């Protein structure tokens, strides 16, 4: 089991998900309270983990995957403790429990593919440890969850290194959307990884963060974590991005992804598509940074990606306050689809992928699978 | 003097600016409190009017023009009362006072041209009534302010009628931005005038209102006034507009304007430019509705239009709440520029103007001047 609150990927960066100090729960940074309050929560059950994911206390496709994997491992651990206290393990009791937990977790947020991918890895680890005794099976799932977290950190590091390829050596001003930084991952982020890496190497880089309504992840989370690490950050509303680009203030666009189809269509936080259209209109490069686990070869194109719709109250809340918005509707899709032809390149832990995308994506997934389904014992990324 | 709270342009619509019941002050609907509270304020001085404009208690280019004109008239009236009580009018005392008031009002918001235009009309009315005695001069400026308000209502009505030309007879779903409705004008609005007119004629029409950060005029004001008049309205964040268009849910875009240059470049609420780029990308028509008083023949192109920048706290306020955003900057331009080539047509009270714009704009301004500089006595629009 990796220790409680491992050292951050870079000094000053938060660790959004870890085991609790006693190893009996999951410890998360409550991202709904940032930046006003830096509060950590102890989640003692899979139900609590599912609730934290649903309410965006933990968010970001990779971080959701890690939280869900640790949640499943926690469930197995608790169930094993109960079984050990009784007459031993009835056939399949751990699997059955894990199956229920898995359904609960997968129902929380349908768009991010990492959740399905990470939970499947933990389920497979349990199956493969069949017949090994309760302690060995618990160890196997905990090891798998830890591997997912550690590998995610390593994937972020590699995204940062590969991403240097798209950052001009003389420096740049990058525009990003939502939060695809340390708060969204087990490491230094996806979209922000090239930013942190460039900054660490002395390349002058600053960031425009689009605020990302309705939940303001850009204004709250991206601004908070960049300011913490001493990188210049300026928040703009989404409506200001066009004016920013027209004035020549943006050099490149860097966003993350929640799921990318085999053809390169991107599901990411709603608003991403508009930025991609504006980037194309202004001749600016539009990069999508992601671990290979975010590619979904099972989705041939964007139309095969489910788009989560959330409560309209999230949209109307600030404007209508206590008033009843009678006669007023709202639409609240959490994600949108950016067609592959608007993407300049994907920055993955397997390298920078350029068009034509079906080919370059297929190549990187074939060369290095999108995340091992067997734990890499003894590996220390 | 037009009466306190004249009947609305259409049943259910608010009247944002009027004389107070006793005629000694200006009565406005405080738009910063909508939709939570419908509160009217009594403004008893030019300083109070300037403050209400600066803080957006009254906003929208035409409504600002009306408030400023009434404010100037109020100032002349008060000064005349003081002079009448003393030894009569010293040469130029009314002009001098009006000059100071005019400077104060013009400094409040630099982008909307209607403010400069309306205040110049009142100033000219005072000059032209020179030598007519205090009472006659007061009557002249009040009459001019009233004419501006009444003409604005008529211009809105004509925009609505001409705008029917761009609304499909079978109905449509229009996207609008910010608030260019009854709350922004002396009548039924500019961008919303074709919507209200179509609705009144039984043409099925519904509206997507982009919420318009940072001050949420779309989510607060447009949603409120459309709901009041029974028109279907759905609020979306600015980042959702791309997804809306990609799904084929928008038929046309209708926005207002704060100032339009001679070549057709449009200054309007920040975010307008992004909508125009998205509309072009999706092959959707993009219409700008405005009274002729919003054209500024003195600005050859958009670069000659000053763009107001407001307090960054307006952008960061909701996200950072009580927290100090240390290390975090924000940019807050209140307007952006949409180049003329992205505009399908202007819907003006002088008709629908199509490209090439320098020509069609010049033609409508020549045929019917952009608002008389002499009051139209006895005219009842």
């Amino acid at each position: 089991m990796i220790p409680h609150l491992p050292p951050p990927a870079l000094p000053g960066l938060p660790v959004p998900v870890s085991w609790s100090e006693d190893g009996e729960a999951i410890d998360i940074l409550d991202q709904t309270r940032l930046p006003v309050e830096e509060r950590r929560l102890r989640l003692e059950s899979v139900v609590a983990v599912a609730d934290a994911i649903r309410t965006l206390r933990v968010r970001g496709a990779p971080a959701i995957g890690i939280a869900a994997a640790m949640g499943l491992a926690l469930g197995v651990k608790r169930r094993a403790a109960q079984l050990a206290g009784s007459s031993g393990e009835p056939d399949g009791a751990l699997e059955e429990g894990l199956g229920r937990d898995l359904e609960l977790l997968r129902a929380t947020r349908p768009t991010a593919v990492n959740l399905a991918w990470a939970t499947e890895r933990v389920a497979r680890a349990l199956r493969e440890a069949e017949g090994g005794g309760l302690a060995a099976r618990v160890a196997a799932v905990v090891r798998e969850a830890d591997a997912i977290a550690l590998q995610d950190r390593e994937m972020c590091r590699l995204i940062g290194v590969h991403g240097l390829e798209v950052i001009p050596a003389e420096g740049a001003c990058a525009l990003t959307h939502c939060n695809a930084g340390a708060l969204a991952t087990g490491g230094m982020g996806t979209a922000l990884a090239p930013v942190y890496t460039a900054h660490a190497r002395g390349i002058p880089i600053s960031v425009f963060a689009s605020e990302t309504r309705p939940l303001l992840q850009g204004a709250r989370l991206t601004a908070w974590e960049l300011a913490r690490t001493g990188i210049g950050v300026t928040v703009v509303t989404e409506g200001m991005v066009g004016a920013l680009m027209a004035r020549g203030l943006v050099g490149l666009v860097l966003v993350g992804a929640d799921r990318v189809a085999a053809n390169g269509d991107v599901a990411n936080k709603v608003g991403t598509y508009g930025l991609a259209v504006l980037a194309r209109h202004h001749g600016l490069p539009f990069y999508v940074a992601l671990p290979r686990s975010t590619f979904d070869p099972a989705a041939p194109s964007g139309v095969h990606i489910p788009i989560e719709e959330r409560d309209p109250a999230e949209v109307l809340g600030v404007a209508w306050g206590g008033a009843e918005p009678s006669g007023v509707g709202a639409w609240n899709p959490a994600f949108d689809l950016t067609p592959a032809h608007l993407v300049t390149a994907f920055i993955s832990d397997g390298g920078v992928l350029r068009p034509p995308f079906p080919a370059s994506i297929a190549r990187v997934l074939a060369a290095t699978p999108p995340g091992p389904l067997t734990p890499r014992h003894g590996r220390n990324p």
Side-chain angles (χ1 to χ4, degrees), chain A:
Chain A
M1 187 174 280
I2 52 175
H4 174 57
L5 283 184
L10 282 176
L13 288 182
V15 175
V17 187
S18 80
W19 291 105
S20 64
E21 207 156 359
D22 59 10
E24 297 301 321
I26 293 162
D27 177 288
I28 65 160
L29 181 60
D30 183 353
Q31 300 195 28
T32 62
R33 306 300 290 254
L34 285 175
V36 175
E37 190 190 1
E38 205 173 326
R39 185 167 71 165
R40 300 197 71 94
L41 296 178
R42 181 180 166 91
L43 309 178
E44 303 200 331
S45 68
V46 177
V47 169
V49 172
D51 188 60
I53 293 173
R54 197 180 299 112
T55 54
L56 277 57
R57 295 184 198 287
V58 56
R59 29 67 52 204
I64 287 173
I66 294 166
M70 286 187 173
L72 280 188
L74 178 69
V76 170
K77 201 175 170 192
R78 297 241 153 160
R79 221 166 266 116
Q82 286 168 357
L83 291 169
S86 70
S87 56
E89 184 186 7
D91 274 2
L94 286 183
E95 274 86 354
E96 244 174 64
L98 181 133
R100 285 195 301 275
D101 290 348
L102 201 142
E103 267 180 51
L104 177 70
L105 286 165
R106 286 198 183 171
T108 53
R109 304 203 66 195
T111 302
V113 72
N114 308 59
L115 199 161
W117 168 86
T119 51
E120 176 51 33
R121 276 183 63 169
V122 175
R124 181 162 164 182
L126 183 68
R127 284 198 302 277
E128 293 188 343
E130 206 185 340
L134 281 177
R137 301 191 78 190
V138 169
V141 293
V142 168
R143 201 164 48 224
E144 188 67 17
D146 289 354
I148 288 169
L150 291 169
Q151 287 161 15
D152 189 68
R153 176 169 289 201
E154 173 65 1
M155 289 194 285
C156 290
R157 191 186 69 79
L158 289 170
I159 290 168
V161 173
H162 290 303
L164 287 178
E165 186 181 320
V166 309
I167 309 279
E170 70 274 18
C173 186
L175 171 77
T176 191
H177 186 56
C178 196
N179 174 264
L183 285 164
T185 64
M188 68 172 78
T190 53
L192 295 190
V195 171
Y196 287 126
T197 308
H199 181 70
R201 299 195 182 188
I203 298 170
I205 192 151
S206 61
V207 175
F208 281 107
S210 78
E211 63 169 11
T212 318
R213 283 281 294 150
L215 299 179
L216 298 163
Q217 293 92 333
R220 294 191 298 111
L221 309 180
T222 296
W224 182 81
E225 68 166 90
L226 286 171
R228 275 202 134 196
T229 50
I231 294 174
V233 57
T234 304
V235 176
V236 293
T237 71
E238 284 154 271
M240 292 168 191
V241 168
L244 262 190
M245 291 184 178
R247 292 194 191 193
L249 298 173
V250 176
L252 70 160
V253 182
L254 272 172
V255 298
D258 288 78
R259 191 187 299 217
V260 173
N263 73 340
D265 289 350
V266 176
N268 190 44
K269 179 56 57 196
V270 70
T272 301
Y273 170 55
L275 300 190
V277 170
L278 278 167
R280 173 61 51 93
H281 187 80
H282 291 89
L284 292 172
F286 180 84
Y287 298 110
V288 178
L290 74 181
R292 282 163 298 136
S293 54
T294 297
F295 285 112
D296 181 8
S301 71
V303 299
H304 300 272
I305 301 177
I307 299 294
E308 174 187 2
E309 295 207 4
R310 297 180 62 85
D311 188 344
E314 288 182 350
V315 172
L316 293 177
V318 178
W320 284 74
E324 180 59 42
S326 71
V328 176
W331 187 46
N332 191 14
F335 305 95
D336 63 19
L337 288 170
T338 300
H341 70 85
L342 292 177
V343 177
T344 305
F346 292 98
I347 305 171
S348 85
D349 53 308
V352 175
L353 317 182
R354 298 195 177 265
F357 288 131
S360 56
I361 292 171
R363 211 156 44 232
V364 79
L365 294 186
T368 48
L373 284 170
T374 48
R376 300 184 181 179
H377 303 296
R379 185 163 176 268
N380 185 15

